[in-house]
Amino acid sequence: SPGPPPLTPPMAERRLSRGLPCRGLCVLAVVASLPLASRLEGARGGRPLSELSACHLWSPTSAPLPGSRRARDVAVCSSAARARRRDVSRAGAAPGLSTLGFRAGPPDPPMELDVPTVELHRKYHEATIQYTMENMEWAQSKGYQLDAGLSTQETEHLWRAQRERLFRWPRLHDQDVHVVALGGPGPQRFCRGGASPEDDARACGDPGDHVFVISLARRPTRLKHALHQLHAQGVSATIVDAVDGDTVLYQEDLERVGVAPLPGYMGHKNHDILLTTGEVGCFMSHFTIWQHMVENNIQSVLILEDDFDLQEGFSERLGQYLEEAKGEDWNILFVGRSPMEGDWRRISEHIVEPGYTLWTVGYVMRLDAAQRLVDAAVQRSFAPLDDFFSVLMGRGQDAAYNDQVHGWWPYLPTREDGMPLLRPLAATPPLVMPYVGSMFLSDTAMLRKKTRYIEDLPLTSSSDGPRGVAAGAG
């Protein structure tokens, strides 16, 4: 099958200068040789907590091997990107939230993460390193690009179906959702207290039957794992066909559906790549559920990405944690996260107000947040979703993790009083983690043959010349 649209010489030159980073695989041996305890201890003394997350281990900013070609390419490109970002930041800078009395950063001294959260991340981190070591040849050869559960013909067929799915966005149609009833009879409930189940569910943000799992059709391996997890915990859910970023071929595709990144988006110092088609597909997939909430007046949902591992006693603990958060005014609660800084406030034994947070593997969202996101038309000015959420939460104003926050802020919606749109809480320790090895099947964690930067896409199909449909995956 034809590959992605061909690169013109200027586009190819830009891509070469960026080096198509391999998300840290080239430094795996270096990272693995360091005692994990020393990496985790870096969370103290003001250093960012990114060492706690496997996401950071595989980030595109992980240093390449000294003296390698990629080291030289990335050094050149990063210097130019940083210069461009400084110019954009200066041009777009706006007064921070501190003028409204909002705290610009975490407390000083910063709160340390609780021991169970650190241990859970430590376990995941070590297992990820071990998994990669055991599958090094497969990983380095990018054997993960095609799902082993699909033939080439099936992959091409699914690509064409997902291309049609792209243009049905943002609404969910019957062919895009698949209900799996794995719980007991009657309505699904997580919160157990209160005389009236309905009133209590509304008060604590219980998602009930509204559990949505976002799943790429061309990744049946991930869906199979997700269904096993749901069955083991007795959780019923609705599988939502994700928007596949591989089906975005031209910039006019995004114009047609009304989607656009933040003006001048170029990443930031800890995510030093341009916006990819995979990140666009991820954002659009989540947005379609927010839209569905608004259209159907759904008060609360649990959104999971299909690479999740539900922790022991998930259903009971989710209900317990929601009860603990009952007195708080929140509209998003992370049940899975990768903290980039210390928590801002401890609310109860299992609930905190988080700092800058990555991962969207699992979160509970209330209608208030979905309504505000949809009404603000955030799809016309967005960034990769986990960074986007954190900045909408008012995190990163100190620029410690994300040096572009003040450049983004003028383009982001706030509440009527100017305060952050999202009011976050987080479960601690997390109730959801990615399963070990799933990162290799992720369109946002790994760069593949068909990973493309939005900036590099041809403007229209006519500018791409007389070519057939670019089907398949890789």
Side-chain angles (χ1 to χ4, degrees):
S1 302
L7 301 178
T8 62
M11 292 159 58
E13 183 178 346
R14 287 199 305 271
R15 178 165 293 187
L16 177 62
S17 72
R18 287 196 291 272
L20 278 179
C22 61
R23 293 273 175 172
L25 287 177
C26 54
V27 292
L28 181 63
V30 177
V31 173
S33 68
L34 299 175
L36 184 62
S38 68
R39 298 199 296 273
L40 297 181
E41 287 302 315
R44 303 177 185 272
R47 289 181 61 190
L49 294 177
S50 51
E51 286 87 351
L52 292 175
S53 73
C55 171
H56 177 75
L57 173 63
W58 311 110
S59 76
T61 53
S62 297
L65 292 174
S68 67
R69 176 177 177 179
R70 187 185 157 242
R72 296 191 295 274
D73 291 341
V74 171
V76 171
C77 116
S78 296
S79 175
R82 282 194 294 271
R84 286 198 294 166
R85 287 202 302 265
R86 282 197 298 271
D87 292 340
V88 170
S89 183
R90 281 197 294 267
L97 286 170
S98 58
T99 60
L100 301 174
F102 187 86
R103 188 169 60 210
D108 187 18
M111 289 179 58
E112 294 184 4
L113 295 178
D114 58 273
V115 172
T117 294
V118 172
E119 288 303 315
L120 189 58
H121 277 273
R122 184 195 302 272
K123 179 181 177 182
Y124 172 74
H125 199 158
E126 290 179 331
T128 297
I129 292 174
Q130 184 63 35
Y131 177 91
T132 310
M133 290 297 190
E134 293 172 355
N135 298 276
M136 179 61 76
E137 183 178 350
W138 171 78
Q140 291 285 27
S141 65
K142 296 196 174 183
Y144 50 78
Q145 295 188 102
L146 291 175
D147 196 294
L150 292 175
S151 67
T152 301
Q153 280 189 326
E154 288 170 329
T155 300
E156 292 178 4
H157 174 76
L158 284 172
W159 186 93
R160 295 173 189 276
Q162 290 304 97
R163 175 76 175 168
E164 295 176 3
R165 163 80 175 98
L166 171 67
F167 299 112
R168 291 197 297 272
W169 186 88
R171 287 180 170 81
L172 284 179
H173 296 259
D174 289 345
Q175 64 261 50
D176 305 323
V177 295
H178 318 276
V179 176
V180 288
L182 300 173
Q188 181 167 259
R189 290 287 180 264
F190 296 96
C191 298
R192 304 296 183 184
S196 167
E198 291 76 17
D199 291 344
D200 189 64
R202 183 183 292 258
C204 77
D206 189 338
D209 290 318
H210 304 295
V211 177
F212 294 91
V213 177
I214 296 171
S215 180
L216 268 176
R218 61 178 162 82
R219 288 300 190 188
T221 298
R222 285 172 51 137
L223 178 58
K224 180 179 179 180
H225 181 90
L227 292 174
H228 277 298
Q229 288 286 302
L230 295 170
H231 182 265
Q233 298 278 354
V235 175
S236 296
T238 298
I239 309 302
V240 175
D241 288 343
V243 174
D244 192 340
D246 280 5
T247 65
V248 178
L249 300 182
Y250 312 104
Q251 293 185 34
E252 70 175 357
D253 291 343
L254 299 184
E255 294 173 5
R256 177 176 166 184
V257 295
V259 169
L262 283 163
Y265 176 81
M266 302 170 197
H268 57 78
K269 65 181 181 182
N270 280 298
H271 188 64
D272 197 11
I273 61 172
L274 302 179
L275 192 71
T276 69
T277 50
E279 290 171 329
V280 171
C282 173
F283 181 92
M284 293 175 68
S285 300
H286 284 258
F287 187 96
T288 197
I289 299 176
W290 310 339
Q291 176 86 27
H292 182 74
M293 289 179 69
V294 172
E295 290 180 347
N296 294 277
N297 196 36
I298 300 173
Q299 295 301 309
S300 181
V301 302
L302 170 61
I303 298 177
L304 299 167
E305 295 175 338
D306 63 0
D307 59 344
F308 63 85
D309 257 345
L310 301 180
Q311 301 303 295
E312 185 177 355
F314 170 82
S315 296
E316 295 75 14
R317 291 167 66 192
L318 176 60
Q320 176 190 343
Y321 293 9
L322 288 171
E323 291 283 356
E324 290 182 27
K326 205 182 243 186
E328 294 291 316
D329 180 24
W330 61 273
N331 58 15
I332 186 169
L333 190 153
F334 293 91
V335 294
R337 61 172 178 142
S338 177
M340 296 294 104
E341 63 183 14
D343 295 324
W344 284 27
R345 180 169 62 105
R346 176 163 288 280
I347 292 162
S348 66
E349 181 181 0
H350 302 110
I351 296 294
V352 296
E353 184 183 346
Y356 204 106
T357 292
L358 298 184
W359 290 356
T360 51
V361 64
Y363 60 93
V364 177
M365 178 173 281
R366 281 179 149 162
L367 180 58
D368 172 77
Q371 187 77 62
R372 291 176 183 275
L373 291 166
V374 171
D375 288 350
V378 294
Q379 73 274 20
R380 297 175 188 165
S381 187
F382 73 94
L385 187 57
D386 44 11
D387 280 310
F388 193 66
F389 272 168
S390 281
V391 178
L392 287 177
M393 289 155 41
R395 286 6 181 206
Q397 293 288 318
D398 58 359
Y401 178 77
N402 181 344
D403 61 344
Q404 294 301 296
V405 167
H406 289 282
W408 297 3
W409 192 252
Y411 303 104
L412 300 181
T414 61
R415 299 197 323 240
E416 293 79 1
D417 58 3
M419 296 295 270
L421 186 144
L422 296 180
R423 304 185 301 279
L425 296 178
T428 183
L431 294 174
V432 174
M433 292 288 287
Y435 73 84
V436 173
S438 63
M439 54 170 283
F440 289 103
L441 306 181
S442 168
D443 279 12
T444 56
M446 302 300 293
L447 297 181
R448 302 167 298 114
K449 179 181 177 182
K450 285 185 72 73
T451 298
R452 285 158 289 154
Y453 297 99
I454 298 302
E455 179 185 275
D456 288 346
L457 295 178
L459 295 178
T460 67
S461 56
S462 59
S463 66
D464 189 26
R467 301 178 67 252
V469 176

